[in-house]
């Protein structure tokens, strides 16, 4: 009885999945807005090249239309050659990761704590926060906001403290109000850009500002690339020198994100490397608008960090350190 029930459930799951993952019809019919993917799940083009969907993750069912997450090195394993309808997302061979005494396979996702979800990818670990990263700036109705630990909850929450006497605006650790940016009924404030989420390859950097007509807090995001992966910059260090600080690429290049490529070519600067144990990170940057053209003809507009200069120092993150952004030098001179 139990076996028959289990088989019925399996047949139902497969039938439902086949209906959801139908073969490509040749005509695209996509929702007006793309789906909101969970933290750490990539938004990609489906296997038909039609709609943007949340990529399938390790161990989930997949089809030629419902693709696995390519940014985590996953592919759809259909098993037998004659079975091309339903597979399981599997990781390609890659180096394992060690975190907290546990070994994780390449492509495997895990929670390092209740605050972070991490993914192992060929020996490197990348993490995304599960708690809200919003920043509350001082305001007349809440002059002294602070995060407090709530019993029974993992993530801290904002609390307004009202002192008995008038106090000045609280100075934040990495930003503060600009006395020259005052508008009617609005004190304009903008945080510093965060460190790039990746030490090599394309990542993201964020900041919070209320520099808009409604004086409303909003989160801004820009793309960033500290250096290309596998760039072998050590070979460019001159004889007698220990570092190459801010090299520029010799030939124009284009940036690519999720299969979309920039419409223009660029010769950006990157942060280099050292031979004496120091690491080089962005020091002065600027932000410029860019256009990406996708295979389906869609054009995306994104902002991207361009490096002006880098600083080399010994304050480097350790291997597989999920808090590596805390080690980065503060980036200066970029309020664009």
């Amino acid at each position: 009885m139990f076996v028959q029930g289990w088989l019925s459930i399996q047949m139902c799951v497969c039938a439902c999945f086949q209906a959801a993952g139908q073969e490509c019809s040749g005509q695209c019919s996509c929702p007006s807005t793309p789906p909101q993917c969970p933290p750490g799940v990539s938004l990609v083009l489906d296997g038909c090249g039609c709609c943007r969907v949340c990529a399938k993750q390790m161990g989930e069912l997949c089809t030629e239309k419902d693709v696995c997450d390519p940014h985590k090195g996953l592919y759809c394993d259909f098993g037998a050659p004659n079975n091309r309808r339903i597979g399981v997302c599997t990781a390609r061979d890659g180096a394992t990761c060690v975190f907290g005494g546990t070994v994780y396979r390449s492509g495997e996702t895990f929670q390092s704590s209740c605050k972070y979800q991490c993914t192992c990818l060929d020996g490197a670990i990348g993490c995304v926060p599960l708690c809200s990263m919003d920043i509350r700036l001082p305001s007349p109705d809440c002059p002294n906001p602070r995060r407090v630990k709530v019993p029974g909850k993992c993530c801290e929450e904002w609390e307004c403290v009202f002192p008995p006497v008038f106090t000045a605006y609280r100075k934040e650790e990495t930003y503060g109000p600009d006395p020259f940016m005052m508008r009617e009924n609005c004190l304009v404030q903008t945080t510093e850009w965060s460190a790039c989420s990746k030490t090599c390859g394309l990542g993201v950097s964020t900041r919070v500002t209320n520099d808009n007509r409604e004086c409303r807090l909003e989160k801004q995001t820009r793309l960033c690339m500290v250096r290309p992966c596998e760039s072998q910059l050590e070979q460019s260090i001159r004889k007698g020198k220990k570092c190459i600080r801010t090299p520029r690429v010799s030939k124009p290049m284009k940036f690519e994100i999720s299969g979309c490529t920039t419409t223009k070519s660029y010769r950006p600067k990157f942060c280099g490397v050292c031979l004496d144990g120091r690491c080089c990170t962005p020091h002065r940057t600027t932000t410029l608008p860019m256009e990406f053209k996708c295979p389906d003809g869609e054009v995306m507009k994104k902002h991207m960090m361009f490096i002006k200069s880098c600083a080399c120092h010994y304050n480097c993150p350790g291997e597989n350190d999920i808090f590596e952004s805390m080690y980065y030098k503060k980036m200066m001179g970029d309020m664009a």
Side-chain angles (χ1 to χ4, degrees):
M1 192 62 148
F2 172 78
V3 174
Q4 290 179 348
W6 183 83
L7 289 174
S8 299
I9 293 174
Q10 287 294 97
M11 292 174 64
C12 178
V13 169
C14 290
C16 293
F17 192 82
Q18 285 179 352
Q22 300 174 12
E23 296 181 357
C24 303
S25 63
Q27 294 183 346
C28 296
S29 178
C30 306
S32 56
T33 57
Q36 293 291 325
C37 301
V41 176
S42 301
L43 183 66
V44 298
L45 210 59
D46 64 23
C48 301
C50 283
C51 309
R52 299 195 179 279
V53 296
C54 296
K56 298 296 181 180
Q57 302 301 296
M58 173 82 86
E60 293 184 347
L61 298 179
C62 53
T63 65
E64 290 186 348
K65 180 180 179 181
D66 299 293
V67 296
C68 301
D69 201 327
H71 301 136
K72 295 181 180 177
L74 303 181
Y75 71 100
C76 194
D77 185 359
F78 292 99
N82 58 348
N83 172 35
R84 297 295 297 177
R85 297 187 65 83
I86 302 177
V88 178
C89 288
T90 307
R92 301 184 188 278
D93 293 336
T96 59
C97 306
V98 179
F99 183 85
T102 304
V103 178
Y104 297 95
R105 294 174 297 165
S106 180
E108 187 172 359
T109 298
F110 61 96
Q111 279 191 224
S112 62
S113 69
C114 61
K115 294 184 178 181
Y116 291 92
Q117 178 171 293
C118 305
T119 300
C120 170
L121 183 58
D122 197 17
I125 293 179
C127 300
V128 293
L130 298 176
C131 296
S132 173
M133 300 298 289
D134 65 314
I135 296 177
R136 185 164 186 172
L137 301 179
S139 61
D141 60 336
C142 187
N144 192 24
R146 66 177 182 180
R147 283 188 181 271
V148 296
K149 181 71 177 177
V150 179
K153 292 187 177 181
C154 173
C155 302
E156 296 177 335
E157 296 183 0
W158 283 106
E159 178 184 79
C160 287
V161 177
F162 295 94
V165 294
F166 177 80
T167 59
Y169 283 111
R170 176 172 69 98
K171 183 179 180 181
E172 295 290 335
E173 183 177 346
T174 58
Y175 63 89
D178 187 340
F180 299 102
M181 297 191 68
M182 294 291 296
R183 287 206 302 264
E184 184 178 359
N185 299 324
C186 182
L187 176 62
V188 179
Q189 299 183 81
T190 303
T191 69
E192 298 286 349
W193 285 105
S194 69
C196 191
S197 61
K198 291 188 177 181
T199 56
C200 76
L202 205 61
V204 293
S205 175
T206 61
R207 72 177 180 182
V208 176
T209 183
N210 64 346
D211 190 6
N212 50 61
R213 290 184 179 181
E214 295 80 16
C215 195
R216 185 184 69 251
L217 274 178
E218 62 180 9
K219 184 179 180 180
Q220 296 179 340
T221 303
R222 66 177 180 178
L223 300 174
C224 53
M225 183 182 287
V226 178
R227 63 183 61 83
C229 294
E230 301 178 0
S231 53
Q232 299 180 345
L233 294 172
E234 296 87 350
Q235 300 178 2
S236 302
I237 299 178
R238 295 181 180 178
K239 187 176 181 180
K241 299 291 184 179
K242 295 182 178 180
C243 298
I244 178 171
R245 184 180 298 175
T246 316
R248 185 192 294 271
V249 294
S250 57
K251 297 181 180 179
M253 61 173 288
K254 292 188 175 183
F255 295 95
E256 182 177 340
I257 177 174
S258 299
C260 306
T261 309
T262 52
T263 55
K264 296 181 180 179
S265 298
Y266 300 86
R267 283 192 61 209
K269 292 181 179 179
F270 296 114
C271 287
V273 294
C274 293
L275 301 177
D276 57 358
R278 286 182 289 172
C279 55
C280 302
T281 55
H283 180 60
R284 294 186 180 276
T285 65
T286 188
T287 306
L288 298 176
M290 303 176 70
E291 285 190 348
F292 290 82
K293 190 170 183 179
C294 304
D296 59 0
E298 180 184 355
V299 176
M300 297 190 302
K301 294 185 178 181
K302 300 283 186 181
H303 284 84
M304 180 148 185
M305 176 191 82
F306 280 83
I307 296 172
K308 290 185 174 180
S309 65
C310 300
C312 301
H313 48 85
Y314 290 103
N315 197 17
C316 304
E319 185 178 359
N320 285 346
D321 194 335
I322 64 173
F323 302 106
E324 62 184 5
S325 63
M326 295 172 59
Y327 294 84
Y328 277 63
K329 293 287 186 180
K330 179 179 175 182
M331 288 185 287
M332 304 294 292
D334 185 359
M335 297 301 291

